[in-house]
């Protein structure tokens, strides 16, 4: 621990104990506590390291004039100290323990009302309850009752913390009693009696807690719904965590009450009840006694006659991924039932679902609740598609047909669902919520087996949606996604007729001119994604890209995307740039010659990079060049790319957006990697003569030199140097890492100095200033006669440029690399930018300063910041 | 109360309401869809149209070569287009007292009603309705008169001949009543009968009813009407809109508590959402321009075009259409654009506030200033020298049968780069395009109809809760093509009363009350007596004076003091003897108490018989019957006046006298 902190801590304790009201900034107490926690985690005893804390605790405890937040802090601190057996002993000796954790003490002082204090009490106790002594204290002080009382506290935070605490207590009891049981014979009598006492304590606590749970579960009146929900949540938590003997006991205690709740069928409790049942079901193995009862409860939940509840329960079962062929098949049928009723496409085998449920659900679907039922059904279709065929009542192809039919209903077309439920039509017609869910379901169904045959139908419907004037932009986006998914899984697109293709082209062309930017954006994105879809086979058996066979390829896409580069909305511009990258990747990989279009695009992109006011578009431009460079088979042979990269780098350096800068660094990294590819590992048995070694080294050096020169020419080196002093930490960090990499590669081999100097021009003197700042030498370079980096001893790393430009600086790359202490720089940059302000010392100083400011008579009370932080 | 339905077109209504001795015509819409049966009137000689073959029946028996021409498998009448007028035989139009106009689209038949029919009444309309209506009429007359056609086609209207004709012509109804367009003189004369009213202004009609226009939110100056007497209220809802476009929002609350609500002018495109259509319009426009084509928008010169221009104003920039010229060609283009800017009080709140800023309410002013929008009275003159392609042209008439649009259809129809975008919902676009087939030009149909849809109207009716609803029969069943769409019809309890052309409906409510005024001095003389808590009754004797549908109770004039004249007077000159009226009785005779009283008076032998209306008491000794009924008591006894009087007085004991 920091010496300075130790010195200052007693003063802080004094301040805290003395401050009657809470500190202006509650978070400082939290931070202080965090700091103490980290200290204890390193294994240091808190009281030994900071003996003043003991006095602080007793001061506050016996004084009780402090504000609730200080008291809360004290309770938590007491917990932290008492968590170790030694600390616990000390606290017990100074009789602080009994006092601070006695709820009656606080009730008498009128402070228990404050939720802040109750939270402190709970968390303090939770921390302290790590060992049997603490448990003994917990039992003897009679703290079980207050804890149970807090389970349904009026404050949600308190109730939730109390729930966790109870789970913690039970788990502790469980672990302590299991240790006790396994006690070995060698243990002496005293220890035996101790463990017996612990066992008694444990079983006492467990019995009380279980009784309480059981009592609270039973729903007496509907006003207690939230209480039941809370207890069910706690129960789920316990069921997931506790182990067998306790698990059985827990289940035996509560199962009757749970069963009662299940039979009461209260809609609001469906989900928490289902969680309990599912948790129990998953924890029990088949030979367990209560397993069958839980199974019965599960069946009960899944066969209730309330359509909304039963659908929710079925969805919960499928989501839990538990395997039981009977339940799973049943749930799949329940979830498919709304779709079956609405569309009239029979998805369920005869007699499979209770006729009663069908009638009830049909009625329910004719009201506004149909939205939630249909949407739950649709959102769970991805789970249904994962089921084994024998759990499904029909082939997945039929589900696709039903979803298609529902989508048609949504736009007023009932031709395919003549047997459907007419009462629902008026609700689903034009509902974009149902449309969105259906589109997502359709996307998920694309991966189903044997659905390819439906592709033309899906394609036709999606094109209609894309063409429809009433489609919401979000629906359009989902339609595009579904289309991509379906095209992606189909190996043969020959079934798409020319007419359908023409419709799609029309739709895309129209949406690219849509009034709503969201629609334009999705369209442009679609074009990009389509270009990335794996190629598929045409009827003639040749491999073709879907974008070619559907839209006519680049000749259609590129002009549209070029147009979108002019869009008023920056998101659309950014998306069109990315889409262009995705579209052209294929031709870059093939090394195809550049078209006039591509040349124009590059010019336009450079304009965007230098002029666009929005960061998104500029970031996309840099990424475009990254994509181009990385997919190009031989970047250096593409003259346009070679010409544009230096411009991109220099503009990236000048950009104000830190993400643009970071992307620029990625481009620089690509160039570095290309210049210095990872050397192939030498053949282990290769014998190398001294002669060849020397010539090899020389070759290598000259090779490096030329690579380095080319990097300087690209502008990579100057960009890295500039970024190193960037005000954005992530940028400087990345630059520093890349420079280190460069140094590792270059410097060891280039020892022969003078004649291998590689000059590099940097944009300005300001850079030298920054470098000087880094090195802590604050001398004006102009007064030095010459200009040097760092100390004079480091040599002439920097020379004033002889050119007339005046403001640019010429440096020698290797020398700068050596002279800069990059490792030190890296360690500084790796620390978070606020590491100084967040240090414990500054925290302690802050508390003292705040208190003096507070005690100052002129301080304004109105400026207090009250943070609600339990 | 009766409703005479003179038009079967749900959005171009013409109904006559007879209500309390007044005869009120509600709108006089002109059904112009009949013009679709005629050949277009080209502004410039069109070789294509002039070379169309004449029609001869297959067996050659009927030769109407001169009147009918064939084009792309359909037959068109080659004559000046004619309109289908409102029914004129159902009732005598000269008896109409007033005509209420709800918006400028619903007044195009006005000259046919007010001229040459003996009409002597008044037409009520708001100022924008009158002014813009005048523009539309002027435009229509101009379109027709610019391309005069001497020839009139009448032979095809012969019933025997019409039966033999193909296609839609055969099924056209009432073709004999179709009329050519009116003249400017008739327009002026008709419009001179218009009296201007403002929203919520109350106008008395002969003291019998009060009429008042309410904002309907559909177009500039568009209104719904309230027609009410003291105890009855009829609401007339014509084209109304709840969307936020340029006009003042709809006044819904004033429609509450109506006895009858006559509902017309719902959207003609219930499945097309105006916002979606506007988006469709813009993207198709941009798509065509980008591909180097021209866009033709056949439209009326007022109404939706303001919203289209406003929408385009915002869209031009984002779609980089900044350099594309927009042309608005109409004989009244200039007036329409300028008028819209000066009707500030009729605009939506948003636009009203702009009046206080140095900017015009509609952004089309800026489009004109920056030369992006140019307007011309016709394609002749300045336009030809300024015309630049690719461009966007807004011009009429949306039927594509007359007006400058005919020229552009001929000019651009052959290239598939060009697009015609239909935004007006009044005409079937396929029918409109029929005489231009075969057509290479792209056609896009985005009808923008901002009038109420069924969802909105059912919400509105739930809110205002009229006792009865009357509507065109088309609204009581789903559209023929979408018979399952129960959401595309009115479902009300009680069901609405449907009407069709020539229906005469007796509206289902009876007038029960009439307001009568009482003069103060007469009121002073009344002596009210309380019959039950809060209800007092007084008798009044007065003279009822009725004039101009106002009824007043006046005191009975006192007989002039008898002059101390000894002259003999003739008997008839003697003032009538005013008898003081007998007191009025109220209350009921309680049976038990009455029997007890009878007994006291020595009548003991009473046989009581219960009847449907009350009781019959048979006084057996006296051989007398007393019938006690809810609204009357009869004592039947023969020649025993003293007994009758006694019995009467006994009965009177139980009753209150006024």
């Amino acid at each position: 621990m920091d010496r300075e902190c130790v010195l200052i801590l007693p003063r802080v304790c004094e301040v805290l104990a003395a401050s009657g009201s809470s500190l202006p900034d509650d978070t400082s107490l939290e931070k202080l506590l965090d700091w103490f926690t980290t200290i204890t985690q390193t294994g240091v005893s808190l009281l030994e390291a900071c003996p003043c804390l003991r006095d602080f605790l007793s001061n506050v405890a016996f004084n009780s004039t402090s504000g609730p937040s200080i008291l809360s802090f004290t309770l938590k601190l007491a917990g932290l100290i008492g968590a170790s057996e030694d600390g616990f002993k000390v606290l017990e000796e100074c009789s602080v323990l009994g006092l601070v954790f006695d709820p009656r003490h606080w009730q008498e002082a009128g402070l228990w009302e404050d939720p802040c204090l109750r939270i402190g009490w709970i968390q303090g106790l939770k921390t302290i309850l790590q060992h049997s002594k603490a448990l003994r204290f917990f039992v003897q002080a009679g703290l079980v009752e207050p804890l149970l009382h807090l389970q349904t506290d009026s404050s949600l935070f308190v109730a939730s913390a109390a729930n966790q605490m109870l789970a913690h207590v039970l788990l502790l009891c469980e672990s302590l009693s299991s240790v006790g049981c396994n006690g070995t014979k060698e243990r002496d009598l005293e220890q035996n009696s101790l463990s017996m006492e612990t066992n008694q304590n444990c079983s006492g606590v467990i019995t009380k807690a279980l009784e309480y749970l059981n009592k609270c579960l039973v729903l007496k009146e509907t006003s207690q719904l939230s209480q039941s929900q809370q207890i069910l949540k706690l129960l789920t938590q316990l069921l997931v965590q506790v182990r067998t003997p306790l698990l059985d006991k827990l289940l035996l205690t509560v199962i009757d009450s749970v069963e009662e709740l299940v039979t009461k069928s209260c809609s609001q409790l469906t989900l928490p009840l289902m969680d309990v049942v599912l948790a129990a079901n998953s924890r029990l193995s088949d030979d367990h006694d209560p397993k069958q009862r839980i199974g019965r409860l599960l069946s009960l939940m899944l066969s209730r006659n309330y359509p909304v509840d039963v659908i929710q329960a079925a969805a919960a079962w499928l989501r839990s991924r538990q395997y039981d062929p009977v339940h799973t098949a049943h749930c799949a049928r329940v979830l498919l039932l709304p779709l079956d009723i609405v569309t009239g496409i029979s998805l369920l085998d005869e007699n499979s679902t209770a006729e009663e449920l069908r009638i009830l659900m049909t009625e329910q679907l004719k009201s506004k609740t149909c939205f939630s039922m249909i949407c739950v059904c649709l959102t769970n279709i991805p789970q249904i598609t994962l089921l084994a065929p024998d759990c499904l009542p029909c082939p997945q192809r039929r589900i696709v047909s039903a979803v298609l039919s529902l989508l048609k209903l949504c736009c007023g077309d009932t031709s395919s669902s003549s047997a459907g439920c007419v009462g629902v039509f008026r609700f689903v017609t034009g509902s974009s919520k149902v449309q969105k869910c259906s589109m997502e379901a359709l996307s998920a169904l694309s991966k189903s087996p044997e659905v390819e045959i439906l592709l033309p139908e899906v394609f036709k419907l999606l094109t209609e949606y894309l063409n429809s004037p009433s489609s919401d932009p979000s629906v359009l986006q989902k339609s595009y996604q579904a289309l991509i998914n379906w095209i992606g899984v189909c190996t043969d697109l020959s079934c798409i007729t020319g007419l359908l293709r023409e419709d799609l082209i029309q739709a895309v062309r129209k949406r690219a001119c849509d009034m709503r930017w969201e629609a334009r954006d999705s369209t442009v994105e679609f074009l990009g994604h389509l270009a990335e879809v794996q190629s598929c086979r045409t009827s003639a058996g040749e491999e073709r890209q879907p974008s070619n066979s559907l839209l006519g390829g680049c000749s259609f896409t590129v002009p549209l995307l070029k147009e979108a580069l002019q869009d008023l909305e920056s998101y659309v511009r950014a998306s069109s740039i990315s889409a262009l990258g995705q579209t052209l990747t294929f031709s870059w990989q093939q090394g195809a010659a550049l078209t006039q279009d591509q040349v124009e695009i590059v010019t336009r992109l450079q304009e965007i990079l230098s002029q666009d006011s929005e960061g998104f578009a500029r970031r996309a431009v840099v990424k475009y060049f990254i994509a181009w460079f990385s997919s190009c088979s031989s970047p250096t042979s593409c003259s346009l790319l070679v010409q544009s990269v230096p411009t991109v780098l220099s503009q990236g350096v000048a950009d104000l957006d830190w993400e643009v800068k970071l992307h620029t660094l990625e481009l620089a990294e690509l160039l570095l990697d290309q210049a210095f590819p990872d050397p192939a590992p030498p053949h282990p048995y290769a014998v190398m003569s001294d002669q060849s070694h020397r010539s090899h080294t020389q070759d290598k050096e000259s090779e490096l030199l030329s690579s380095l020169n080319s990097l300087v020419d690209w502008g990579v080196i100057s960009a890295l140097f500039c970024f190193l002093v960037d005000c954005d930490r992530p940028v400087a960090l990345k630059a520093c890492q890349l420079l280190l990499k460069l140094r590792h590669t270059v410097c060891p081999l280039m020892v022969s100095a003078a004649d291998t100097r590689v000059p590099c021009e940097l944009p300005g003197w300001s850079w030298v200033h920054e470098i000087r700042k880094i090195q802590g030498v604050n001398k004006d370079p102009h007064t030095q006669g010459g200009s040097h980096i760092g100390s004079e001893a480091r040599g002439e790393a920097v020379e004033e440029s002889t050119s007339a430009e005046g403001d640019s600086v010429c440096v020698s790359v290797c020398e700068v690399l050596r002279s800069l202490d990059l490792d030190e720089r890296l360690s500084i940059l790796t620390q978070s930018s606020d590491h100084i302000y967040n240090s414990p010392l500054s925290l302690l100083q802050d508390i003292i300063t705040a208190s003096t400011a507070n005690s100052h008579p002129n301080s304004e009370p109105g400026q207090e910041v009250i943070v609600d932080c339990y | 109360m009766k409703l005479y339905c003179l038009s079967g077109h749900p959005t171009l209504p013409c109904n006559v309401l007879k209500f309390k001795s007044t005869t009120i015509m509600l709108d006089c819409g002109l059904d112009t869809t009949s013009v679709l049966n005629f050949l277009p009137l080209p502004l410039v000689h069109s070789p294509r149209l002039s070379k169309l073959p004449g029609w001869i029946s297959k067996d050659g028996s009927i030769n109407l070569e001169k009147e009918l021409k064939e084009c792309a498998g359909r037959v068109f009448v080659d004559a000046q287009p004619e309109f289908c007028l409102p029914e004129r035989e159902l009732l005598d139009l000269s008896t109409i007292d007033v005509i209420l106009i709800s918006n400028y689209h619903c007044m195009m038949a006005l000259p046919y009603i007010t001229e040459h029919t003996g009409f002597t009444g008044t037409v009520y309309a708001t100022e924008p309705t009158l002014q813009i209506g005048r523009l539309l009429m002027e435009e229509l007359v101009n379109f027709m008169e610019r391309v005069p056609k001497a020839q009139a086609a009448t032979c095809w209207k012969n019933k025997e001949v019409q039966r033999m004709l193909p296609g839609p012509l055969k099924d056209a109804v009432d073709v004999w009543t179709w009329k050519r367009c009116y003249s400017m003189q008739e327009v002026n004369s008709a419009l001179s009968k218009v009296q201007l009213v403002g929203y919520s202004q109350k106008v008395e009609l002969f003291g019998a009813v009060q009429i008042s226009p309410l904002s309907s939110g559909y177009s500039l100056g568009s209104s719904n009407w309230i027609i009410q007497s003291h105890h009855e209220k009829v609401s007339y809802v014509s084209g109304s809109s709840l969307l936020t476009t340029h006009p003042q929002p709809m006044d819904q609350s004033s429609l509450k508590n109506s006895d009858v609500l006559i509902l017309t002018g719902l959207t003609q495109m219930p499945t097309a959402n105006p916002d979606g259509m506007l988006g469709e319009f813009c993207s198709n426009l941009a798509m065509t321009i980008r591909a180097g084509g021209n866009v033709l928008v056949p439209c009326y010169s007022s109404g939706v075009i303001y919203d289209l221009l406003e929408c385009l104003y915002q869209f031009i920039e984002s779609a980089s259409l900044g350099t594309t010229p927009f042309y608005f060609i109409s004989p009244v283009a200039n007036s329409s654009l300028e008028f819209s800017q000066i009707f500030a009080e009729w605009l939506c709140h948003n636009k009203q506030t702009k009046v206080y800023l140095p900017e015009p309410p509609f952004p089309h002013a800026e489009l004109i200033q920056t030369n992006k929008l140019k307007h011309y009275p016709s394609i002749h003159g300045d336009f030809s020298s300024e015309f630049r392609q690719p461009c966007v042209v807004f011009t009429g008439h949306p039927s594509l049968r007359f007006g400058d649009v005919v020229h552009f259809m001929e000019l651009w129809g052959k290239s598939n780069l060009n697009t015609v975008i239909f935004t007006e919902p009044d005409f079937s676009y396929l029918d409109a395009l029929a005489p231009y087939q075969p057509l290479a030009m792209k056609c896009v149909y985005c009808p923008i109809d901002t009038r109420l849809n069924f969802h909105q109207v059912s919400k509105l009716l739930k809110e205002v809760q009229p006792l009865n609803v009357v509507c065109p029969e088309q609204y009581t069943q789903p559209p023929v093509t979408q018979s399952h769409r129960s959401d595309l019809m009115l479902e009300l309890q009680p069901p609405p009363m449907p009407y069709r052309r020539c229906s005469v409906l007796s509206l289902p409510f009876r007038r029960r009350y009439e307001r009568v005024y009482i003069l103060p001095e007469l009121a002073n003389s009344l002596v009210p007596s309380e019959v039950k808590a809060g209800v007092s009754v007084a008798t009044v004797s007065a003279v009822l004076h009725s004039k101009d549908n106002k009824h007043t109770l006046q005191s009975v004039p006192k007989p002039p003091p008898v002059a101390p004249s000894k002259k003999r007077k003739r008997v008839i000159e003697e003032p009538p003897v005013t008898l003081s009226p007998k007191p009025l009785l109220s209350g009921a005779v309680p049976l038990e108490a009455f029997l007890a009283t009878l007994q006291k008076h020595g009548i003991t032998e009473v046989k009581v018989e219960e009847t449907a209306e009350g009781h019959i008491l048979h006084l057996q000794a006296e051989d007398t019957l007393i019938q006690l009924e809810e609204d009357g008591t009869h004592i039947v006894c023969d020649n025993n006046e003293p007994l009758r009087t006694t019995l009467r007085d006994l009965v009177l004991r139980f009753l209150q006298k006024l």
Side-chain angles (χ1 to χ4, degrees), chain B residues 305-459:
Chain B
I305 186 171
Y306 302 138
D307 296 321
L308 289 181
L309 289 176
E310 179 150 7
C311 182
L312 281 174
Y313 170 78
Q314 294 157 357
F315 182 63
I316 283 174
E317 285 300 311
S318 67
S320 34
L321 299 175
T323 54
T324 313
F326 289 69
Y327 300 114
F328 177 21
I329 303 170
S330 156
V332 297
N334 187 29
S335 325
S336 166
L337 292 177
E338 310 233 309
F339 265 141
S340 60
Q341 304 283 17
I342 58 167
F343 288 128
E345 57 172 305
W346 306 90
L347 294 173
C348 61
H349 179 74
N350 213 348
K351 293 215 180 318
Q352 273 187 19
T353 50
K354 287 201 173 171
V355 174
Y356 305 107
L357 303 172
E359 57 179 296
F362 284 98
H364 57 236
E366 198 187 315
L367 288 177
I368 294 170
Q369 267 168 21
T370 53
N371 259 339
K372 281 176 186 155
L373 174 66
K374 296 179 186 172
H375 54 87
Y376 301 93
S378 109
I379 52 167
H380 300 300
D382 289 348
F383 173 69
S384 42
S385 55
E386 293 271 346
F387 183 47
R388 224 160 21 87
Q389 303 191 73
C391 63
V392 182
V393 171
F394 297 88
T395 187
H397 185 271
S399 66
L400 304 189
R401 291 302 179 271
F402 40 85
D404 303 89
V405 72
V406 177
H407 176 71
F408 288 101
M409 283 304 296
E410 295 283 330
L411 184 70
W412 289 342
K414 292 169 213 81
S415 163
N416 63 357
L417 281 180
N418 302 325
T419 308
V420 53
I421 310 181
F422 292 86
T423 56
E424 300 289 352
D426 288 355
F427 301 92
S428 141
Y429 79 108
L430 289 174
D431 289 342
L433 289 170
Y436 298 94
Q437 299 296 356
L439 199 66
M441 190 177 195
K442 280 198 289 280
C443 305
V444 179
Y445 187 51
C446 1
I448 298 172
D449 197 333
T450 57
R451 284 173 278 212
L452 296 176
N453 60 32
F454 286 97
H455 178 69
Q456 293 164 330
V457 87
S458 54
K459 233 173 140 183

Side-chain angles (χ1 to χ4, degrees), chain A residues 411-412 414 422 425-426 429 467-470 506 509-515 520 560 563 566-568, chain B residues 273 276-280 282-284 286-287 290 311 314-315 317-318 320 442 482 484-487 491:
Chain A
C411 37
T414 52
V422 181
F425 294 175
R426 73 164 57 211
T429 306
N467 247 324
S468 159
S470 41
Q506 271 303 314
R509 217 193 276 275
K510 189 169 81 183
R511 292 297 166 207
C513 307
D514 204 281
M515 273 176 84
R520 298 200 297 275
L560 265 190
E563 196 92 49
Q566 319 273 352
D567 204 282
L568 272 196
Chain B
N273 163 23
M277 287 300 153
L278 210 53
E280 193 75 357
C282 287
S283 37
N284 278 297
M287 203 162 78
R290 279 189 190 176
C311 182
Q314 294 157 357
F315 182 63
E317 285 300 311
S318 67
S320 34
K442 280 198 289 280
Q482 288 162 301
H484 58 275
R485 291 288 294 266
S486 59
D487 53 328
E491 277 182 309

Side-chain angles (χ1 to χ4, degrees), chain B residues 59 150 160 191 217 240 252 298 408 511 653:
Chain B
D59 55 1
E160 289 308 305
L191 295 182
S240 304
Q252 301 179 56
F408 288 101
R511 290 178 46 217
R653 276 193 202 179

